[in-house]
């Protein structure tokens, strides 16, 4: 078989290989073309045409190749579709399914129930080899049926628009001197590598943490450090991102984590589990956070064979030094470094600065339903708290902090607190009783009313009588609900309104505000008009009404 008029296909293939080995515009390329053209008495244009064309030998086939002879094309395609559906339906998590031979036996002996009714295959109409050939020809074979759809690569438009968060066990496994040990667990804690990566620039921030598993408390501590301004000048990553993406681990499923992110205004995006969206692997974007993990383990942690960090702080210093070098390397697509890309693509309105650690602690609270004892005490995580007397015997929802010792109690629509841990029983010479709560006042009013009320005599004797009705009593005022304002759900920093501030001042003075002088009431009114900040108001009241003064703080 020839490639052209007189040029064999073998010569064209050899010429193509020699030309591919030479760089473009190399003078030897023209020499090869001229020598080949002179050898076979053809022009250089003919050789170029032969090189461009697909002149490989072709197999000889029958004229009816690909056309079924035992049944119509539509019928064979219908049975191929049924076979492919049976293989999909019988596939387990390990990828095992019915073979084509077994499916043919079932179709011949029993048939298959379809939306159009029971369908059976006649014996001898379709063989296994014919079925396999048409499955491949029509695209119903297992490789194509289980092949994933094409991936779509995405990239955020601005820095801090999306962060990827994940954690991975370090190849060092554990430290020789761990910073802490849990007596209730066996062995030392595992050295875990925590990481966040900016989607736009690829800038990473990583830390080592000694943990016994993925827990939300350690994850929140790491995210606070990642969002805060760094003391070292090497890593510029900071600020609150618009969204954060992570897998369906214990941190992503935690209600405390979601609550903290909601208070910070961060949208939480969880990876969809595998096989939850058809044939697509739904966690493809994990590569942006897994790539720095692999780089650190191959380029940095392999050096631990020579020198191992002794403490967690030393390991973090070594890791920060390498991560800073990693951030100064080239961006995956741009012609500058990752750090320069993060700095040049900041949002137009600037970064959202991270709050203080004290404010962050108020967000991280875990709800738990408890019943308050009759002595107004309850124990949470081994710590005893004493709550308001009004909550004695009630089933309440307690909000205890992950990072602080303060506790809030919620009964219905009202929230009480903060409450601090208390010690043991009160000594007898310091005994004091609780002030009467609103519930006790209501109970006293009901008891007094019970002594005064009666029913008409006619209710007993059955005789008509005159009933004297007194003036109707005033309806009790409806309680006002305190509206939620901003990410301060426990009102630890500001009072919700002036009424709540006046109630807190009255509780602080242990004296109704109506008994104060006109000058003191004017001072309180002016103070509340200026600010509703709890620390400022309490400090000003304690300065205005010192202990020992008549009407002062008890």
């Amino acid at each position: 078989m020839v490639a052209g008029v007189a040029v064999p296909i073998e010569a064209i293939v050899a010429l193509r290989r020699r030309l591919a080995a030479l760089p473009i515009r190399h003078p030897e390329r023209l020499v090869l073309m001229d020598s080949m053209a002179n050898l076979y008495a053809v022009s250089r244009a003919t050789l170029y045409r032969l090189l461009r064309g697909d002149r490989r030998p072709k197999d000889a086939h029958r004229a009816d190749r690909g056309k079924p002879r035992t049944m119509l094309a539509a019928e064979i395609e219908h049975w191929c579709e049924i076979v492919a559906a049976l293989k999909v339906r019988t596939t387990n998590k390990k990828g095992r399914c019915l073979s084509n031979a077994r499916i043919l036996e079932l179709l011949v002996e029993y048939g298959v129930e379809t939306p159009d009714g029971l369908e059976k295959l006649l014996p001898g109409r379709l063989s296994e080899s014919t079925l396999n050939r048409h499955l491949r020809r029509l695209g119903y074979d297992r490789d194509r049926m289980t092949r994933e759809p094409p991936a779509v690569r995405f990239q955020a438009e601005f820095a801090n628009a999306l962060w990827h968060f994940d954690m991975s066990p370090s190849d060092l496994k554990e430290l020789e001197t761990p910073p802490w040990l849990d007596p209730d667990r066996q062995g030392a804690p595992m050295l875990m590598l925590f990481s966040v990566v900016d989607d736009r620039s690829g800038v990473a921030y990583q830390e080592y943490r000694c943990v016994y598993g993925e827990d939300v408390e350690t994850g929140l501590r790491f995210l606070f450090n990642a969002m805060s301004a760094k003391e070292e000048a090497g890593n510029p990553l900071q600020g609150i991102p618009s969204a954060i993406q992570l897998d369906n681990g214990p941190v992503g499923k935690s209600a405390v984590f979601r609550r903290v992110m909601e208070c910070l205004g961060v949208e939480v995006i969880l990876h969809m589990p595998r096989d939850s969206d058809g044939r697509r692997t739904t966690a493809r974007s994990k590569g942006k956070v897994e790539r720095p993990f692999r780089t650190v383990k191959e380029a940095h942690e392999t050096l631990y064979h020579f020198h191992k960090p002794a403490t967690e702080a030393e390991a973090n210093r070594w890791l920060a030094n390498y991560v800073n070098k990693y951030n100064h390397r080239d961006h995956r697509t741009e012609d500058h470094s990752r750090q320069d890309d993060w700095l040049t693509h900041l949002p137009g309105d600037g970064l959202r600065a991270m709050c203080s650690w004290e404010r962050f602690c108020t967000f991280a609270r875990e709800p738990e339903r408890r019943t308050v004892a009759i002595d107004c005490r309850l124990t949470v995580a081994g710590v005893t708290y004493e709550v308001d007397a009004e909550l004695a015997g009630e089933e309440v929802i307690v909000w205890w902090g992950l990072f602080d010792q303060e506790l809030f109690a919620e009964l219905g629509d009202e929230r009480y607190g903060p409450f601090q841990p208390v010690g043991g029983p009160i000594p007898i010479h310091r005994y004091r009783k609780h002030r009467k709560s609103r519930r006790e006042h209501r109970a006293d009013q009901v008891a007094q009313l019970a002594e005064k009320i009666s029913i008409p005599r006619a209710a007993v004797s059955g005789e008509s009588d005159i009933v004297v009705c007194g003036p109707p009593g005033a309806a009790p005022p409806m309680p006002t609900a305190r509206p939620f304002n901003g990410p301060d759900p426990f009102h630890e920093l500001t009072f919700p309104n002036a009424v709540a501030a006046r109630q807190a001042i009255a509780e602080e003075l242990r004296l109704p505000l109506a008994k104060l002088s006109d000058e003191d009431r004017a001072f309180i009114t002016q103070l509340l008009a200026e600010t509703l900040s709890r620390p400022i108001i309490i400090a000003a009241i304690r300065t205005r009404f010192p202990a020992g003064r008549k009407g002062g703080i008890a």
Side-chain angles (χ1 to χ4, degrees), residues 26-57:
H26 196 278
E28 189 175 349
R29 297 172 66 93
L30 296 177
V31 175
L32 288 174
M33 295 292 294
D34 293 338
S35 61
M36 181 69 71
N38 295 332
L39 178 62
Y40 292 100
V42 295
S43 65
R44 190 189 300 174
T46 301
L47 287 181
Y48 279 122
R49 185 173 64 254
L50 295 177
L51 289 173
R52 287 194 304 267
D54 188 8
R55 308 298 296 177
R56 290 185 294 271

Side-chain angles (χ1 to χ4, degrees), residues 180-183 185-190 192 210-215:
W180 63 285
L181 291 173
D182 190 348
R185 302 192 183 187
Q186 297 180 353
M190 175 177 54
M192 188 78 76
C210 291
V211 293
Y212 283 96
E214 297 183 7
D215 62 290

